[in-house]
Structure formats: C-alpha cells, structure tokens
Amino acid sequence: MATPILRSLWPSLARRPNIAISAVPTTTLSSQLASRAFSATPAPSATLNQVLRGCRKPQRARHAVSPALSATLCPQQKGVCLKVGITRPKKPNSGERKTARVRLSSGRMITAYIPGEGHNIQQHSVVLVRGGRSQDCPGVRYHLVRGALDLAGVSSRMSSRSKYGTKKPKKASVGG
C-alpha cells in the first residue's frame, strides 16, 4: 500500500515496479561478527587464575521440595505412622505443631505435618502423604492428607472443608 505513494515521490522506484519496501535485508550482530575476519576487541576468555578460582562451575540444580515423592514421581504415597509427636516452630512463631514420623511404602522415613485441629492417628496407623512443607517447622517437608485411610477429617469444620477431609454438614429439615 505504501509502494504506490513512494513511486509517486521517487521516480527511480517507478522504473523498478516489483521492489518491496519491506524486503530490506536485516543483519544481526552475530552475522556481522561472523563475516568479519578480525575484531577490535578480543574474544573474552578466562585467564588461568580465573579458571583455577572456579569461574567455570556449572549452575547447581535446584533441590526438590519433597524429595521422597519426586524420586518416585508420585503425587501421594501411602505410609505407616511410627511415632506421633509435637514440634516447636522456628523463631518468631510459637506453639505446638503436630507431626508424625512415617515410613513410606518406598521404604523412606519422613517427618510429616498433621494439618487441622485434633487428630486420631497413633502408631501403626496407615496414612496418605502428600508434598508441601510446613514453613515454620524445620525438617518437615510433607503433609498428611486428612480424611484418607486411617486419618479422619477435622470435625466441625465449616470453611475450607476439602483441605481437611470434612463432609458438608446436613441441614436440619423444618416441619418434618
């Protein structure tokens, strides 16, 4: 659309009718450097001291939040509770966080957090473990799933019931 206007402005374009304006070759910096035989600045290479100091270390891989589950590629795993106890949270927080020592079906031993108020698990209870750490408890990288297997849901829970394995309460029928 811009070509007829440019032809009227520049008669030299009128002699060459099939030239597209957008067909201007675009060159990148890498192609310009590849075509030049020399450069004013030398290619950056590490000195011997820099290599000895360790400048060429690869980036460390990120560690998994829940390594026992990511090793087996499972979202949850079944386990047997070995010990139930409490853990004191880290510095600014205070309280008693309920935790359980669990042996997973893969054979690994983990410490898992028991969410919600009150629980009914004891030694030899079969529980379902999911990932997700408890931020203020050191060494706790797993959660137990409420309402699955031997761990009951939180009783009298009204909000966020699906996170705590609680069914919707029955409504009282009027006049019946």
Side-chain angles (χ1 to χ4, degrees):
M1 180 164 156
T3 309
I5 297 169
L6 290 175
R7 281 191 193 135
S8 65
L9 293 175
W10 288 293
S12 62
L13 285 176
R15 287 184 223 126
R16 293 177 277 162
N18 292 333
I19 293 179
I21 302 300
S22 64
V24 177
T26 59
T27 57
T28 61
L29 183 62
S30 62
S31 63
Q32 288 176 353
L33 290 177
S35 65
R36 287 183 11 179
F38 68 93
S39 175
T41 58
S45 61
T47 65
L48 179 64
N49 281 336
Q50 288 171 336
V51 172
L52 291 176
R53 250 191 349 234
C55 66
R56 293 188 180 175
K57 288 180 185 168
Q59 227 177 8
R60 288 180 62 191
R62 296 180 66 180
H63 70 279
V65 175
S66 304
L69 298 178
S70 63
T72 57
L73 301 174
C74 300
Q76 300 100 10
Q77 265 195 353
K78 193 163 70 167
V80 177
C81 183
L82 303 176
K83 179 178 148 187
V84 180
I86 58 169
T87 304
R88 295 262 177 213
K90 284 198 274 192
K91 195 59 177 271
N93 295 335
S94 64
E96 295 177 344
R97 307 282 187 256
K98 283 27 171 209
T99 57
R101 194 89 175 125
V102 178
R103 182 191 292 117
L104 295 177
S105 57
S106 61
R108 290 186 69 162
M109 302 274 290
I110 60 154
T111 305
Y113 176 70
I114 306 169
E117 296 179 5
H119 63 84
N120 67 328
I121 63 168
Q122 52 195 352
Q123 193 174 3
H124 308 304
S125 295
V126 180
V127 292
L128 192 66
V129 178
R130 70 171 171 86
R133 68 192 197 98
S134 179
Q135 282 82 356
D136 60 355
C137 293
V140 179
R141 293 176 160 186
Y142 306 89
H143 274 69
L144 298 183
V145 178
R146 297 293 305 239
L149 304 177
D150 287 348
L151 181 56
V154 179
S155 58
S156 70
R157 178 90 195 182
M158 290 301 179
S159 62
S160 304
R161 292 189 326 275
S162 64
K163 290 182 181 179
Y164 297 95
T166 306
K167 300 284 186 192
K168 189 160 188 168
K170 302 274 188 206
K171 294 195 175 184
S173 60
V174 179

